[in-house]
Amino acid sequence: MTTPPPTEPTTDLSSERPGAAPSGDVPLRTDGILDRLATLRAADAPTHGGRVLSYVYDPGLAELDELAAAAARAVQPVNGLDPTTFTSVAVMESDLVAFARSMLRGPATGPDAVVGSVTSGGTESCLLAVKIARDAARAARPGVRPRVVAPVSVHAAFRKAAQYLEVDLTLVPVDPATGTLVATDLVAELDDDVALVVVSAPSYPHGVVDPVADVAAAAAARGVPVHVDACVGGWVLPFWEGAGGDPVPAFDFSVPGVTSISADVHKYGYAPKGTSVLLVRGRDRQRRQFFATTGWPGYPVVNPTTSGSRSAAPLAAAWAVSQALGTPGYTALTARCVRATRALHEAIEGIDGLRVVGRPTGPLVAVACDETVPLARQVDPHQWADAVRSLGWVLQPQPGLAQDDGTHLPHTTHLTVTPVTEAGLDDLVAALVQGADAVRGEPRPDVSAVLGALAGAFAPGPDADAPLPEPGADAVWEALLAALSADGGEPRGTTRSVLPDRLAPLMAVMEVLPAAVAERALVEIVARVAEPPAGPGTP
């Protein structure tokens, strides 16, 4: 593969761009800026090499990184707001949508032709899918508040969409042992107010593909559209079987009744962050995601996404990567994921005290405590994740959840497997085993001291079971951080992180606090990470 050479940054752009003026009397101070950025980046979790088994998707190909960076640099000044002015945007978006449509087996012609848009990520794709359904439902049933029905394992983006777009969200319980959805349980929730059904391929928490065909058939019979959230699986499951993986249940546009699919290119499409695709069956349905107005004295505005002005860099990088890989390249990278995932399944099942949750399809693995063995041999997955982190590998703890039917989803630890995982398997497996050995028999952290420290920090809210923080939120935050630091190590202040080194205590606290309190505490934690320190800013 031939890749263009990376462009070196320069402070004198007069020779780089036609018509550019020299800096002249404009003061610039570039010395040290990139050095400081390098120092800041050194404190980040590593994005390459497979040490972080969530958030990042590393193909292990330096050529792709260089190609994506060069493509992004080539369109750095371009405004994706207007593809009629910047026609490169239209061509790249068309190419990327066409690739995704073919990959997900959507028809290209006829009344059910699949069309689509490139968005900023999975959350925006999901939000737009809900907007399409909401607007269609409002037009068909004025005065009826639309409702979305989904498994409880559906991505949190749909909770955000329901909040932003003012629709109701009904979450259907899944099997606590396997994370699987029973189709008839979801179908039983369908009624005249249901605007959209959402299923996952696969669900992020457990890596399970929902019964898309069964749900879509029942929903179609009632005239209810179905969105498949394939944000994580859309660019890997289509290649899974061809790469030597197990059979994948039908989930794409070959399934009658599937009306839209979201698929993130910045996950297993191996593009830089900021690119997802929303595909929709039928032009009329898809047009409901657009915003357009001529009701102001400026230029006519039409946006297919929530953004107005937007960078073309993520699109260009995603387009370049997909052009470079094509189906053969994606299949080859998926084969690495298949082999690594199988090896991890085998390794985890061989660790006394742990179990893989259910039978996941694809490169996601959820690990829970094996409660069939005696307590002395059980391994708490969050204690395990902390122990493995201390050995240089970052796993993702997931709290348990009480479902509406009274059952409880166990707390788990999540692993996202990428192509580069295969190259580091020996070291990773050794760390997984060593981490389990270090914490085997240890119970979950005792959070009674944390709860005691918080006891006076809350005032009763409208719901007695969900007390709300008092107006002085600082007291809530300080009490929580102090209690967690006492139990989980010192906060990592040198990296601007306000979390303790051990996350198991935090996860345990999040599970037992009322949801309103836990969510408010999380907001405070994350908000304070980027809060400017006291004192003057940079002049």
Side-chain angles (χ1 to χ4, degrees), residues 56-120:
V56 291
Y57 298 79
D58 182 7
L61 301 175
E63 301 96 324
L64 279 186
D65 284 347
E66 294 167 5
L67 176 65
R73 178 62 186 252
V75 298
Q76 182 174 303
V78 170
N79 189 342
L81 169 68
D82 187 355
T84 67
T85 298
F86 302 104
T87 56
S88 63
V89 171
V91 173
M92 291 186 293
E93 183 160 9
S94 175
D95 285 351
L96 195 57
V97 168
F99 189 105
R101 178 175 63 190
S102 175
M103 177 179 69
L104 296 169
R105 298 192 286 183
T109 59
D112 284 344
V114 169
V115 291
S117 304
V118 176
T119 74
S120 64

Side-chain angles (χ1 to χ4, degrees), residues 135-498:
D135 291 358
R138 284 179 174 176
R141 297 181 294 276
V144 176
R145 185 178 173 94
R147 183 162 61 102
V148 175
V149 177
V152 73
S153 54
V154 77
H155 195 277
F158 290 95
R159 293 175 180 264
K160 179 185 285 189
Q163 183 182 110
Y164 282 13
L165 298 173
E166 297 186 332
V167 301
D168 291 330
L169 180 62
T170 298
L171 297 173
V172 178
V174 298
D175 186 329
T178 64
T180 56
L181 168 73
V182 177
T184 53
D185 290 348
L186 188 147
V187 172
E189 293 289 342
L190 299 185
D191 208 339
D192 291 342
D193 63 340
V194 176
L196 183 68
V197 168
V198 182
V199 282
S200 304
S203 67
Y204 185 87
H206 306 114
V208 176
V209 175
D210 289 330
V212 175
D214 291 343
V215 170
R222 292 164 173 78
V224 178
V226 174
H227 177 76
V228 176
D229 175 17
C231 285
V232 70
W235 290 77
V236 66
L237 292 185
F239 311 107
W240 194 256
E241 290 185 51
D246 294 335
V248 176
F251 71 92
D252 57 20
F253 286 108
S254 67
V255 178
V258 169
T259 54
S260 57
I261 300 177
S262 51
D264 289 0
V265 199
H266 64 212
K267 290 188 172 73
Y268 287 97
Y270 307 112
K273 291 298 180 186
T275 45
S276 176
V277 172
L278 174 62
L279 300 179
V280 182
R281 193 192 297 268
R283 290 186 177 87
D284 287 345
R285 178 180 285 113
Q286 190 248 3
R287 293 337 189 222
R288 291 186 183 276
Q289 82 182 53
F290 281 70
F291 170 81
T293 184
T294 57
W296 77 307
Y299 59 92
V301 173
V302 55
N303 305 136
T305 63
T306 58
S307 300
S309 291
R310 53 178 176 157
S311 170
L315 168 63
W319 172 83
V321 168
S322 66
Q323 293 282 308
L325 286 173
T327 296
Y330 281 117
T331 302
L333 288 174
T334 300
R336 297 181 182 181
C337 293
V338 168
R339 294 190 294 267
T341 303
R342 282 180 174 159
L344 282 177
H345 276 234
E346 182 178 349
I348 292 166
E349 293 291 4
I351 297 176
D352 193 27
L354 291 174
R355 67 176 178 92
V356 173
V357 177
R359 295 182 58 85
T361 300
L364 306 184
V365 183
V367 182
C369 175
D370 181 1
E371 297 179 342
T372 66
V373 303
L375 285 172
R377 290 165 48 196
Q378 292 179 13
V379 176
D380 179 82
H382 292 174
Q383 301 274 36
W384 176 60
D386 282 340
V388 174
R389 178 189 285 266
S390 72
L391 299 172
W393 301 84
V394 181
L395 313 182
Q396 188 175 56
Q398 300 181 135
L401 181 70
Q403 303 191 95
D404 288 343
D405 64 353
T407 60
H408 189 273
L409 297 177
H411 63 291
T412 61
T413 287
H414 171 102
L415 291 78
T416 295
V417 182
T418 61
V420 77
T421 306
E422 185 180 34
L425 267 175
D426 289 346
D427 290 341
L428 173 58
V429 169
L432 300 182
V433 172
Q434 183 178 344
D437 290 343
V439 299
R440 185 170 289 106
E442 288 188 18
R444 294 198 76 180
D446 180 1
V447 297
S448 57
V450 179
L451 297 179
L454 296 177
F458 304 113
D463 179 353
D465 293 330
L468 299 175
E470 292 180 342
D474 279 352
V476 178
W477 157 249
E478 299 299 344
L480 179 62
L481 179 60
L484 286 173
S485 295
D487 194 29
E490 291 300 316
R492 289 171 284 169
T494 57
T495 61
R496 297 295 297 275
S497 173
V498 293

